[in-house]
């Protein structure tokens, strides 16, 4: 089987006319050869000519208008160049080739028409597997094809009549996953639920949960239905926050953005405002002022106020500070969820939200368990003030992240905003529940927000990323990640280890210090001759986001070990130990790792 055209076809050609040619009519000659095929092929040929005028600058008239109408009718069917932001690579398989097409959106159908003969087994079916950002196309090669082609050139037809002229280059393409079943979705929801429970123990979430635990001790004398109401409202705050976050993520992806879990921490404005919010909360916990007492007169309430609004806000805050963390079981579940339909995505993230809310919700639904908690007393004020310590620790971490991405100018502006917030807190503590001082404090807070936003955007120049840890073992052997670097080392027969990380990811920083940057692991890397690549996602990077999506992940940390050859990569767990890494390295082909040193 070959490919051909039915009815009519337009071949556009560009004709260059010398400036010395005089205006007027000119005769264009053409010799055409073709085959007319059904069961057999019959050759045909003709010599053609047409007269056209040189020098016309307006819309053509008379005979030339037919050219214009022809172009209007058929010009839109000519394949377009492949979009600059899109990507297409291919990798050989046992029976043919596997094309990975990345367009930024889920693609449902495709057909590839090669521009060269004897490349594909044309009658064979082409299998399409949709992905979150495109598709994977499986095609069979011609049985007589011996050498791997340097590129696959031709026409790619996508759904909706979109046609592109492509030239796919060699690259790494993972095997498509089998179709998703309902059981797969249930398993992912279960993993998300477990990940949400474990997320309560992460250092970014535990202080917020502890604050809510203190409020539970204070309200232990309340009626049972009120305690249960607090638990349900807290859960609602978490669920709604997850829904808003996921809705924004899916909406931005549908608009063409390539984003993943924790994407908001790539925004310096979000980092600055989040650090300011936690700093202000820490001042209140440390005893400078009482948020609830001061803001009650203004009609507001936050996490410390003993009301349903406080419970809802605490759930929102828990979600905000949880997003830079990825607990065990979460990575696979989140990556799976964002590659599914909107309904499945929301269902899995709802399971994650319920897991995060579960510990506090259980205490409120089982009031008898609160008897195990100590009675309210003076100790609570001391413990509340001590809780400010991890809150301020989180602020220090956020300031450090901002310094990595925006530089010293942004940090100086943020510290100035902290100073204004401290002044506002002093006013609220000195004159609590007073209308005019509360208004003055509000104006100072607005000024702090303005200084923060202006400082991290207009004053700061983006930094180059996280500072290199040159003192850690093997730090100088880590190279910046790129798909070209992965392909280069794999083509040379070397194993490749990729660390997908970000400065704002606490789990990433812990894993790097306890596992990846240790003497034991570095020695194992050197023994196996592993190429080390670091994919820094601190700032937005669509290439890294697409690579994570192709691996079934949508956030960091992610750790990938590529064995030499075309084998599928090995994904390591989100929580690393030196033993996990060295065990994965021992499974590499020993002969290959030794022969390329």
């Amino acid at each position: 089987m070959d490919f051909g055209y039915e009815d009519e076809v337009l071949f556009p050609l560009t004709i260059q006319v010398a400036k010395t040619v005089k205006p007027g009519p000119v005769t264009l000659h053409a010799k055409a050869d073709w085959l007319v095929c059904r069961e057999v092929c019959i050759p045909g040929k003709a010599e053609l000519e047409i007269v056209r005028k040189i020098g016309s600058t307006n819309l053509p008239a008379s005979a030339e208008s037919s050219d214009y109408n022809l172009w209007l009718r058929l010009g839109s069917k000519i394949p377009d160049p492949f979009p600059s932001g899109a990507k297409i690579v291919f990798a050989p398989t046992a029976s043919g080739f596997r094309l990975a097409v990345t367009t930024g959106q889920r693609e449902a159908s495709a057909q590839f028409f090669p521009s060269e003969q004897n490349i594909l087994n044309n009658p064979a079916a082409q299998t399409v597997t949709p992905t979150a950002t495109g598709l994977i196309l499986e095609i069979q090669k011609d049985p007589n094809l011996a050498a791997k082609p340097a590129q696959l050139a031709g026409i790619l037809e996508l759904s909706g009549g979109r046609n592109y002229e492509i030239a796919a280059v060699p690259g790494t393409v993972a095997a498509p996953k089998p179709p998703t079943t309902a059981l797969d979705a249930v398993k992912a929801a279960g993993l998300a639920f477990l990940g949400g429970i474990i997320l309560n123990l992460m250092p970014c979430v535990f202080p917020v949960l502890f604050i809510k635990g203190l409020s539970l001790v204070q309200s232990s004398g309340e009626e049972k239905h009120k305690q249960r109401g607090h638990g349900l409202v807290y859960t609602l705050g978490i669920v709604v926050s997850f829904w808003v976050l996921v809705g924004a993520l899916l909406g931005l992806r549908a608009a063409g953005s390539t984003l993943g879990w924790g994407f908001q921490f790539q925004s310096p404005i979000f980092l600055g405002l989040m650090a300011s919010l936690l700093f202000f909360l820490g001042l209140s916990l440390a005893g400078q002022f009482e948020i609830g007492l001061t803001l009650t007169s203004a009609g507001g309430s936050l996490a410390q106020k003993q009301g349903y609004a406080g419970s809802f806000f605490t759930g929102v805050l828990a979600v905000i500070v949880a997003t830079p963390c990825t607990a065990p079981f979460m990575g696979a579940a989140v990556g799976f969820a964002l590659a599914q339909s909107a309904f499945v995505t929301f269902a899995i993230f709802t399971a994650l939200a319920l897991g995060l809310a579960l510990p506090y919700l259980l205490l409120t639904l089982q009031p008898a368990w609160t008897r195990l908690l100590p009675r309210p007393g003076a100790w609570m004020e001391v413990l509340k003030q001590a809780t400010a310590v991890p809150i301020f620790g989180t602020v220090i971490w956020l300031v450090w992240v901002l310094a990595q991405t925006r530089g010293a100018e942004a940090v100086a502006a943020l510290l100035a905003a902290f100073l204004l917030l401290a002044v506002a807190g002093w006013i609220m503590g000195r004159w609590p529940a007073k209308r005019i001082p509360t208004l003055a404090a509000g104006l100072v807070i607005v000024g702090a927000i303005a200084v923060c936003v202006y400082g991290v955007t207009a004053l700061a120049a983006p930094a180059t990323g996280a500072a290199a840890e040159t003192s850690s073992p093997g730090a100088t052997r880590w190279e910046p990640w790129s798909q070209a670097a992965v392909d280069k080392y794999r083509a040379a027969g070397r194993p490749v280890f990729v660390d997908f990380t970000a400065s704002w990811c606490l789990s990433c920083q812990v894993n790097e210090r306890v596992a990846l940057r240790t003497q034991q692991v570095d020695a194992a890397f050197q023994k196996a001759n592993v190429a080390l690549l670091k994919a820094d996602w601190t700032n937005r990077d669509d290439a890294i986001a697409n690579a994570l999506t192709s691996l079934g992940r949508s956030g960091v940390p992610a750790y990938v070990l590529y064995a030499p050859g075309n084998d599928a990569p090995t994904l390591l767990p989100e929580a690393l130990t030196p033993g996990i890494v060295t065990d994965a390295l021992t499974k590499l082909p020993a002969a290959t790792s030794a022969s390329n040193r």
Side-chain angles (χ1 to χ4, degrees):
M1 185 182 82
D2 280 322
F3 300 111
Y5 302 93
E6 292 183 336
D7 298 327
E8 56 186 356
V9 60
L10 175 65
F11 294 108
L13 300 174
T14 300
I15 299 178
Q16 300 291 341
V17 180
K19 294 182 179 180
T20 57
V21 176
K22 296 181 179 180
V26 63
T27 301
L28 304 177
H29 299 270
K31 292 183 179 181
D33 297 273
W34 63 84
L35 292 175
V36 180
C37 301
R38 190 180 292 271
E39 288 81 7
V40 296
C41 292
I42 301 174
K45 64 179 182 179
E47 293 191 14
L48 308 170
E49 67 178 34
I50 193 171
V51 178
R52 289 294 179 262
K53 185 183 298 183
I54 296 177
S56 175
T57 58
N58 299 320
L59 289 178
S62 64
E64 294 175 338
S65 65
S66 62
D67 299 343
Y68 184 70
N69 294 330
L70 185 70
W71 180 262
L72 289 179
R73 184 165 56 86
L74 297 179
S76 61
K77 297 184 178 181
I78 297 175
D80 296 319
F82 207 49
S84 58
K87 179 182 178 182
I88 180 167
V89 297
F90 78 95
T93 63
S95 60
F97 305 100
R98 182 180 298 135
L99 280 79
V101 181
T102 303
T103 61
Q105 65 182 31
R106 187 180 180 88
E107 301 289 353
S109 64
Q111 182 77 17
F112 176 64
F113 300 92
S115 59
E116 299 181 33
Q117 293 182 336
N118 305 322
I119 296 292
L120 299 187
N121 181 12
N122 294 337
Q126 299 185 6
T127 305
V128 177
T129 302
T131 65
T133 57
L135 58 84
I136 294 177
L137 184 64
E138 299 271 1
I139 53 180
Q140 293 187 19
K141 64 181 179 180
D142 188 287
N144 299 317
L145 181 66
K148 174 183 174 181
Q151 66 178 13
L152 287 180
I155 303 299
L156 180 68
E157 181 181 5
L158 300 177
S159 59
R162 293 171 294 154
N163 299 280
Y164 300 104
E165 189 172 359
I166 66 167
V169 297
T172 301
V173 183
K177 298 180 179 180
T180 302
T181 64
L183 181 59
D184 294 329
V186 172
K187 289 180 179 178
L191 290 176
F193 184 75
L194 291 176
I197 295 175
I198 299 175
L199 201 57
N200 286 281
L201 303 177
M202 304 300 285
C204 45
V205 180
F206 186 75
V208 177
L209 183 64
F210 188 76
I211 294 173
K212 202 57 192 171
L214 285 178
S215 68
L216 185 63
V217 173
Q218 289 178 327
S219 62
S220 58
E222 290 186 353
E223 298 178 1
K224 294 181 180 180
H225 74 277
K226 289 187 177 180
Q227 291 188 7
R228 291 168 179 164
H230 281 293
L232 294 174
V233 172
Y234 170 75
T235 302
L236 181 63
I238 290 179
V239 172
V240 170
S241 299
F242 267 104
W243 285 352
V244 171
L245 189 63
V246 175
L249 183 59
L250 294 180
L252 290 172
R253 280 197 167 187
S257 298
T258 308
L259 303 172
W261 180 247
F263 70 94
Q264 68 272 28
F265 278 84
Q266 296 172 338
S267 166
I269 294 178
F270 178 84
L271 285 173
L273 294 179
M274 191 68 221
S276 300
L277 172 63
L278 292 179
F279 178 78
F280 197 59
L281 178 60
L283 292 178
S284 177
L285 291 172
Q288 187 188 40
F289 64 95
E290 290 289 339
I291 291 181
L293 179 61
T294 304
L295 296 186
T296 297
S297 60
S301 61
L302 293 175
Q304 288 179 295
K305 185 183 176 185
Q306 302 306 312
Y308 290 133
S311 295
F312 186 88
F313 174 82
T314 307
V316 174
L317 185 61
V319 173
I320 293 176
V321 299
T323 47
C325 294
T326 301
F329 308 113
M330 264 188 64
V334 170
F336 174 88
L338 292 177
Q340 308 305 312
S341 64
F343 175 80
V344 175
T345 300
F346 275 93
I348 293 175
F349 273 95
T350 301
L352 177 61
L354 294 176
L356 179 61
L358 184 64
Y360 181 76
L361 180 62
L362 286 180
L363 284 176
T364 58
L365 294 180
Q366 295 291 336
W369 293 356
T370 59
R371 297 174 184 173
L372 301 176
L373 301 175
R375 294 181 177 276
W379 63 270
M380 293 180 57
E381 184 64 24
V382 176
L383 191 57
K384 185 188 73 170
Q385 294 176 0
T387 307
V389 174
I391 294 292
F392 285 132
T394 304
V395 172
I396 293 173
W397 161 66
L398 289 172
V399 173
W400 175 79
V401 173
L402 189 66
Q404 305 302 309
T405 58
R406 301 296 288 176
E409 292 85 355
V411 172
L414 185 59
L415 293 179
F418 287 174
L419 177 60
L420 292 176
L421 291 175
V423 172
W426 172 77
I427 296 174
M428 295 166 67
R430 179 65 179 81
W431 295 282
K434 301 294 184 179
R435 183 179 299 276
I436 294 180
T438 299
L439 179 61
L443 294 176
V444 175
I445 292 173
V446 171
I449 294 175
V451 169
C452 173
V453 173
Y454 178 78
V456 301
T457 54
L459 295 182
T464 57
E469 299 179 37
T470 55
S471 60
S472 61
T476 57
R477 295 192 297 108
W478 286 85
E479 304 176 26
W481 172 91
S482 69
Q483 189 58 53
V486 174
D487 297 337
K488 178 186 71 173
Y489 285 120
R490 297 193 72 187
R494 289 186 63 181
V496 181
F497 185 89
V498 182
D499 172 17
F500 289 91
T501 183
S503 296
W504 43 262
C505 171
L506 281 177
S507 305
C508 303
Q509 306 306 317
V510 172
N511 287 335
E512 289 179 4
R513 284 158 178 76
V514 304
L516 296 182
R517 304 298 192 264
T518 62
Q519 295 284 355
Q520 175 187 354
V521 172
D522 182 62
F525 280 144
Q526 294 189 59
K527 181 179 179 181
N529 193 32
V530 178
L532 303 176
L533 302 178
K534 182 176 181 179
D536 190 350
W537 208 34
T538 301
N539 296 310
R540 179 179 172 182
D541 189 318
D542 289 346
I544 294 178
N546 290 332
L548 286 168
T549 301
S550 67
L551 295 167
R553 294 290 187 268
S554 187
V556 291
Y559 307 101
V560 188
L561 180 62
Y562 295 90
N566 294 318
D567 295 338
T570 300
L571 281 170
L572 276 61
E574 292 90 347
L576 288 184
T577 64
I580 291 175
V581 181
T582 55
D583 288 346
L585 294 177
T586 58
K587 298 177 182 178
L588 292 172
T592 304
S593 60
S595 62
N596 289 285
R597 280 186 233 163

